[in-house]
Amino acid sequence: MVASESGTDFPANRSRKQIADMSPRLGILKNIPFVIPFEVRVSMFRAFVEADRICSGRPRFMHMDGRQVVRIRRDHVAEDGFNKLGGDDKEGGMDMKSLFQIEFVDQFGSVEAGIDGGGVFKEFFTSLCQEVFDTNRGLWVPNSQQELYPNPMSFATEANHLKWYHFIGKILGKAMYEGILVDVAFASFFLAKFFRLLHIPDELASLDEQLYKGLLFLRHYEGDVAELALNFDLIVDEFGEKKTIELIHGGSSIPVTKQNRKDYITAVTNYKLTVQIRKQSNEFFQGLEKVIKKRWLRMFNPQEIQILMGGVDTLIDFRDLRANTKYGGLYDDQAPGIQMFWSVIETFNQEERRALLRFATSCSRPPLLGFKELVPNFCIRDSGVDEQRLPTSSTCVNLLKMPMYKSPRVMREKLSEGHHVRGWV
């Protein structure tokens, strides 16, 4: 790998003339990336990952030779994943760019049969995300839009909590490296920390809307600010106990006035958006950078990184999905049951379409550049002729297993019922 002056990586087999020709364009990419269409930057990101993979001799999942086996107990996915993959290289942890093979161990201690061609890792990753992003676990808390950010009190809910954030950053980096979408939404102020952007008070709305409205009221208050009896401190609740946090040295004895209220608003913003989750955020992004180079992501803004991680939050184009669907068993694109399936799907509203997509692939949002990017391709295969059976899925390989229904009404009912039984809606 050769580095250009812009800090971008080139495959080592490129000639100096090729590198010279590309450098001005990559200078634009580094300094003013947003003049380049988002979809083009996504394609360039994929190309950088692929070049890194090739130059470092890391083949894709389908290559089976030389892979280290990682055994994960099905009833301890997060614990085993953290213990075996969470440490840094110097601590005996695994290079997340390397190839490794996930083997699941059942409740009886037996290794489950199966070859990890990428699907088993996706199954592990999906199960892991369901556990670590569960807000009941205490590592993450949601804002009013159900977007996640690190729990300021994580130290009291999880042993080695900072190492957990580092591990989650690494595993999300691995997913981005392999092109696996993550069905999780992060608060925009949290993703902005990756760019070390200076927070502004308006960003508080994505953390605490009531606090934001209170500060907005203070900013425009025309009366005597001293009447509000505010000091440069905050009262926080730590497990039922009230604790005073001074925003500046001696803040508890410094009143907020009309002259210094802007300083107070800035101090509250800094504490809420930066200070209280600084350690957790630093560990998460350091873990992410173990896999994804920072300069690759500097092509994007925080909202675009969310799309890069989790797909595009847009209407689902089932014509595009159909054009990139494979079939198995007795099904093909012209089979009566398949013709009926696509007709039935056309009657679904967007919420139902998202539920079906998540039911089959584990992610409710489509890939940014279309379903051709879904790896492996979405697939439908038959699962018998019993019309009383519900459809099932194998999200690890994006597979929908559907009985050979004869009635559109029954097919629609069973598809909808299958989503609810699986808990996707």
Side-chain angles (χ1 to χ4, degrees):
M1 189 76 75
V2 178
S4 73
E5 292 181 359
S6 67
T8 306
D9 297 324
F10 297 104
N13 60 355
R14 286 195 181 273
S15 70
R16 290 186 179 277
K17 183 178 184 305
Q18 287 176 311
I19 293 176
D21 289 342
M22 292 179 66
S23 290
R25 282 171 283 175
L26 290 170
I28 293 174
L29 187 63
K30 177 185 178 184
N31 297 309
I32 46 174
F34 304 112
V35 303
I36 300 174
F38 178 42
E39 292 78 4
V40 175
R41 283 179 280 134
V42 172
S43 296
M44 296 179 79
F45 170 80
R46 304 283 189 226
F48 289 148
V49 169
E50 192 61 27
D52 181 78
R53 189 196 308 276
I54 293 171
C55 291
S56 57
R58 299 182 179 104
R60 287 187 173 275
F61 267 116
M62 280 64 76
H63 186 84
M64 303 300 294
D65 296 334
R67 296 199 294 179
Q68 184 174 341
V69 174
V70 179
R71 290 185 175 172
I72 303 292
R73 293 171 294 173
R74 277 209 176 269
D75 51 354
H76 295 81
V77 171
E79 177 187 348
D80 287 358
F82 174 75
N83 289 334
K84 296 183 178 183
L85 303 174
D88 286 333
D89 299 343
K90 61 184 178 182
E91 297 174 348
M94 185 174 293
D95 174 9
M96 296 301 286
K97 291 183 181 181
S98 66
L99 284 176
F100 52 87
Q101 177 177 339
I102 298 293
E103 289 185 349
F104 281 113
V105 177
D106 64 23
Q107 59 182 325
F108 304 107
S110 299
V111 177
E112 297 179 5
I115 297 175
D116 189 0
V120 181
F121 172 79
K122 184 186 175 187
E123 183 180 0
F124 157 72
F125 178 77
T126 302
S127 299
L128 177 66
C129 285
Q130 288 175 349
E131 288 193 37
V132 299
F133 290 117
D134 183 350
T135 54
N136 292 321
R137 190 181 185 96
L139 286 171
W140 304 88
V141 288
N143 62 14
S144 59
Q145 287 78 43
Q146 299 305 304
E147 298 166 334
L148 301 183
Y149 62 94
N151 183 358
M153 304 299 170
S154 60
F155 62 87
T157 60
E158 185 73 65
N160 300 315
H161 70 119
L162 294 180
K163 289 186 177 181
W164 272 95
Y165 287 111
H166 191 90
F167 167 59
I168 295 171
K170 286 174 62 177
I171 204 75
L172 282 181
K174 175 69 169 177
M176 295 176 73
Y177 199 83
E178 302 296 345
I180 298 173
L181 296 181
V182 187
D183 201 7
V184 61
F186 293 109
S188 59
F189 80 88
F190 170 62
L191 290 178
K193 293 182 178 301
F194 181 79
F195 302 94
R196 305 291 191 266
L197 297 177
L198 184 64
H199 290 295
I200 58 175
D202 286 348
E203 288 187 291
L204 270 175
S206 71
L207 170 66
D208 187 330
E209 191 170 357
Q210 291 303 312
L211 176 60
Y212 171 69
K213 289 179 178 178
L215 293 179
L216 202 61
F217 170 80
L218 173 62
R219 179 193 295 175
H220 300 290
Y221 186 61
E222 296 182 355
D224 184 359
V225 174
E227 293 176 351
L228 301 177
L230 295 172
N231 292 326
F232 275 74
D233 60 17
L234 288 174
I235 307 299
V236 298
D237 188 329
E238 288 193 1
F239 310 105
E241 293 187 11
K242 301 297 182 182
K243 182 178 179 181
T244 300
I245 302 294
E246 291 192 332
L247 300 173
I248 59 176
H249 181 67
S252 295
S253 59
I254 300 176
V256 178
T257 65
K258 184 176 182 178
Q259 289 71 32
N260 65 17
R261 61 181 168 184
K262 288 185 178 180
D263 294 333
Y264 172 78
I265 292 171
T266 299
V268 171
T269 300
N270 181 60
Y271 178 78
K272 285 290 188 177
L273 297 183
T274 300
V275 174
Q276 67 174 351
I277 59 171
R278 176 180 286 128
K279 292 181 179 179
Q280 297 94 323
S281 300
N282 287 346
E283 288 295 332
F284 174 86
F285 290 115
Q286 286 172 16
L288 180 65
E289 290 174 40
K290 293 286 185 182
V291 188
I292 302 296
K293 295 180 180 179
K294 181 181 292 187
R295 56 178 171 262
W296 295 349
L297 293 184
R298 286 197 177 278
M299 297 188 291
F300 308 101
N301 64 34
Q303 291 72 30
E304 291 171 340
I305 286 184
Q306 176 65 66
I307 295 173
L308 201 61
M309 285 182 174
V312 60
D313 189 11
T314 187
L315 299 179
I316 298 174
D317 184 355
F318 271 87
R319 288 174 296 181
D320 177 46
L321 178 62
R322 182 173 186 174
N324 292 281
T325 294
K326 306 295 183 184
Y327 301 96
L330 300 177
Y331 283 152
D332 60 39
D333 189 55
Q334 299 303 314
I338 293 300
Q339 297 285 328
M340 186 192 305
F341 171 80
W342 293 114
S343 296
V344 167
I345 296 307
E346 286 293 330
T347 70
F348 278 24
N349 60 35
Q350 280 300 312
E351 182 178 351
E352 291 172 318
R353 292 183 179 196
R354 290 181 185 280
L356 176 64
L357 188 61
R358 191 176 185 208
F359 177 72
T361 70
S362 80
C363 188
S364 62
R365 295 183 293 273
L368 174 66
L369 302 182
F371 285 102
K372 65 180 182 296
E373 277 206 329
L374 192 64
V375 180
N377 286 117
F378 177 64
C379 182
I380 308 173
R381 65 160 299 142
D382 64 282
S383 59
V385 297
D386 185 357
E387 292 194 84
Q388 298 306 309
R389 291 183 59 193
L390 295 175
T392 58
S393 64
S394 295
T395 58
C396 59
V397 287
N398 304 322
L399 173 65
L400 175 66
K401 293 173 280 189
M402 186 176 64
M404 303 179 75
Y405 302 117
K406 295 182 175 62
S407 160
R409 179 185 61 81
V410 172
M411 177 180 286
R412 196 185 203 291
E413 289 176 355
K414 295 300 182 182
L415 285 171
S416 298
E417 189 179 348
H419 306 161
H420 284 85
V421 169
R422 185 69 173 268
W424 290 132
V425 292

